[in-house]
Amino acid sequence: MGLVAGVDTSTQSCKVVIRDAQTGALVRSGRASHPDGTEVAPAAWAVALRSALTEAGGLDDVEAIAVGGQQHGMVCLDADGRVVRDALLWNDTRSAQAATDLQAELAQRTGQPGDLAWAQAVGSVPVASFTVTKLRWLAEHEPERARQVTAVCLPHDWATALLRGASSLDDITGDTVDLATLTTDRSDASGTGYWSPAQEAYRPDLLELAFGRDLAVPRVLGPGDGAGHTPSGVLLGPGAGDNAAAALGLGAGVGDVVVSIGTSGVVCAVSLVPSADPSGSVAGFADATGHFLPLVCTLNAARVLDATARMLQVSHAGLSDLALAADPGSGGLVLVPYLEGERTPNLPDATGAIHGLTLANATAENLARAAFEGVLCGLSDGLDALVAHGVQPRRILLVGGGAAAPAMRALAPMVLGLPVEVPAASEYVADGAARQAAWCASGAAGPPAWSLQGTQVFDAPGVPSIRDQYAAVRSMVRMRGSH
């Protein structure tokens, strides 16, 4: 084998990596920005894909390509394969009421509590992020557009179909796709709200419950299956949702917990069994290898650090230095980081809180450390939820922009209670897509064993008192946010 390509069509940008199929060595790369907002014209993704592929040197010498992408985004197509309206992204919350309504309606239909009924049906309780709730919103609020919709797919599905129909980079325009070629994978299908990871099947009854009628949906491919070829003969992999692609890029195996500190916070783990959490804390997703990927997502992560650095009028490096100068527990100062409400726990109207402030602990150092500890405590709650659903942590992989801070690396073992491994920064979603492309091209039973370079291990004794004092304050905030 020669070269393979991986694409990450994320919320903010499109990244492309070209890697050696055997070793995983990076050969070249490209990048292009996506528009801001929670509602985006998919044609802009096509422009960015074309630009990023061009910057990466094109596909003339590439054997296979796969696409990883932001989960949940709703791309609606008419009978001719044209986009009906701008895509609603995962972070568009206008369908929050639709999520509540769908829970109530399934409860009425099944005679069970709505959250339990959804968890048993598809492994997750729908929230505004999920595609199924966005389809309900469209049916209710834009009925004229809804009547034009023949098929619904996800961002990575749409990008794969674009590549399948493009004979050259100039043909990646986003005008139309062939509905008959729409494919997806288990991981992204598991985030729609109408595909069951446990049953490995769509739930057309839930799709009809949401939209009022049936829709064409992408064919779900198995791990390592090909999705066809581009007109120039490049093999297409099935692709994956972003978290599953990142786990594949990291080489995560059963028991590996990935903690990602970016715009949002994510804690997920590769598992051999599907999960179904009626509380909604754990989303029961599938992974990109044939296993499962129970996942907890928090809204507040790296931006909490941004806000604290702004308050203290220091750089991110300065914030880290301040935090490392304070003692564990921040002198009793606790920051609960619900600055934009929170998804886990489900407190959309909650606000952040600083508690325990005294004359003695009112220092910049303690506030800086409390910010890092607060973010990590929220992620530790997510780890607890995964353990409660059968995950037995083998190791923790700490990634994301927030993981670059020396304070985050030093404090993480104290709060999480386990050593953490921090791989060298990389485009892990695109890397995972490239690894999947190599898998498809090889015809092997599993992905190639690419090794992570530059991984550092951080270890320190756990300090349970940090989480204890955080839990006491979090309970007060939760009570206040639930009223």
Side-chain angles (χ1 to χ4, degrees):
M1 288 193 297
L3 302 180
V4 292
V7 177
D8 173 15
T9 179
S10 73
T11 311
Q12 297 178 325
S13 62
C14 180
K15 283 87 69 177
V16 174
V17 298
I18 310 292
R19 292 189 173 273
D20 182 279
Q22 295 287 348
T23 67
L26 180 65
V27 177
R28 55 186 192 264
S29 63
R31 182 188 183 101
S33 296
H34 285 162
D36 292 331
T38 64
E39 182 176 357
V40 173
W45 297 337
V47 171
L49 176 60
R50 185 171 66 246
S51 178
L53 284 169
T54 300
E55 185 177 294
L59 299 175
D60 288 347
D61 56 351
V62 169
E63 183 175 353
I65 184 171
V67 181
Q70 51 182 302
Q71 286 188 269
H72 311 306
M74 180 186 72
V75 182
C76 291
L77 306 170
D78 66 15
D80 296 320
R82 291 186 175 86
V83 174
V84 170
R85 71 170 326 278
D86 289 355
L88 298 184
L89 308 190
W90 66 273
N91 53 353
D92 192 293
T93 60
R94 71 186 71 181
S95 60
Q97 183 58 49
T100 301
D101 294 343
L102 286 170
Q103 289 188 47
E105 291 167 22
L106 192 59
Q108 186 175 20
R109 179 177 292 189
T110 63
Q112 297 178 308
D115 48 10
L116 177 61
W118 277 99
Q120 290 181 344
V122 293
S124 301
V125 180
V127 293
S129 298
F130 282 45
T131 317
V132 70
T133 69
K134 300 178 189 303
L135 286 170
R136 166 56 68 85
W137 181 91
L138 179 64
E140 288 186 338
H141 293 271
E142 297 182 355
E144 288 296 325
R145 282 177 166 164
R147 279 192 282 272
Q148 300 174 46
V149 178
T150 297
V152 60
C153 64
L154 303 170
H156 113 253
D157 312 338
W158 187 78
T160 302
L162 280 186
L163 290 169
R164 183 164 179 175
S167 57
S168 69
L169 297 187
D170 290 338
D171 288 336
I172 302 175
T173 62
D175 292 339
T176 62
V177 299
D178 183 352
L179 298 187
T181 69
L182 285 175
T183 57
T184 191
D185 84 306
R186 298 169 66 256
S187 70
D188 230 1
S190 67
T192 61
Y194 44 84
W195 188 85
S196 166
Q199 298 175 0
E200 299 269 348
Y202 279 112
R203 289 291 303 265
D205 56 323
L206 300 181
L207 182 57
E208 186 173 348
L209 175 68
F211 198 65
R213 60 181 172 88
D214 195 19
L215 291 172
V217 289
R219 180 166 55 96
V220 181
L221 300 174
D225 288 347
H229 292 79
T230 70
S232 61
V234 180
L235 176 64
L236 290 161
D242 49 5
N243 291 298
L248 182 59
L250 287 162
V254 175
D256 287 342
V257 177
V258 180
V259 176
S260 177
I261 304 174
T263 301
S264 60
V266 172
V267 185
C268 60
V270 179
S271 173
L272 292 175
V273 295
S275 62
D277 179 12
S279 77
S281 294
V282 178
F285 297 151
D287 82 339
T289 70
H291 299 319
F292 302 91
L293 195 75
L295 179 147
V296 175
C297 180
T298 67
L299 291 180
N300 300 278
R303 284 182 291 185
V304 176
L305 307 179
D306 296 342
T308 309
R310 188 167 61 247
M311 289 170 59
L312 294 175
Q313 297 184 329
V314 296
S315 65
H316 283 84
L319 185 73
S320 182
D321 290 342
L322 287 170
L324 290 172
D327 292 329
S330 309
L333 194 65
V334 176
L335 188 152
V336 178
Y338 300 164
L339 273 60
E340 292 189 310
E342 189 46 80
R343 169 176 167 175
T344 310
N346 186 25
L347 297 172
D349 299 321
T351 58
I354 297 173
H355 186 80
L357 187 64
T358 67
L359 289 174
N361 66 17
T363 67
E365 290 82 359
N366 282 329
L367 180 57
R369 188 176 187 109
F372 282 95
E373 290 179 344
V375 170
L376 285 165
C377 283
L379 294 168
S380 293
D381 288 345
L383 179 58
D384 287 348
L386 294 184
V387 170
H389 282 81
V391 171
Q392 298 179 357
R394 184 173 70 94
R395 62 172 176 166
I396 291 178
L397 297 166
L398 187 66
V399 297
M408 189 65 76
R409 300 176 178 205
L411 273 59
M414 299 182 193
V415 179
L416 297 172
L418 290 167
V420 300
E421 297 184 21
V422 183
S426 188
E427 297 294 349
Y428 288 113
V429 175
D431 293 344
R435 191 172 180 223
Q436 183 192 73
W439 181 4
C440 294
S442 72
W450 295 350
S451 61
L452 294 177
Q453 303 296 320
T455 298
Q456 296 177 280
V457 179
F458 295 83
D459 195 5
V463 184
S465 59
I466 296 175
R467 293 199 61 195
D468 291 342
Q469 67 180 17
Y470 175 85
V473 179
R474 178 201 59 204
S475 297
M476 291 188 287
V477 172
R478 182 177 300 194
M479 291 174 62
R480 189 166 64 246
S482 64
H483 281 68

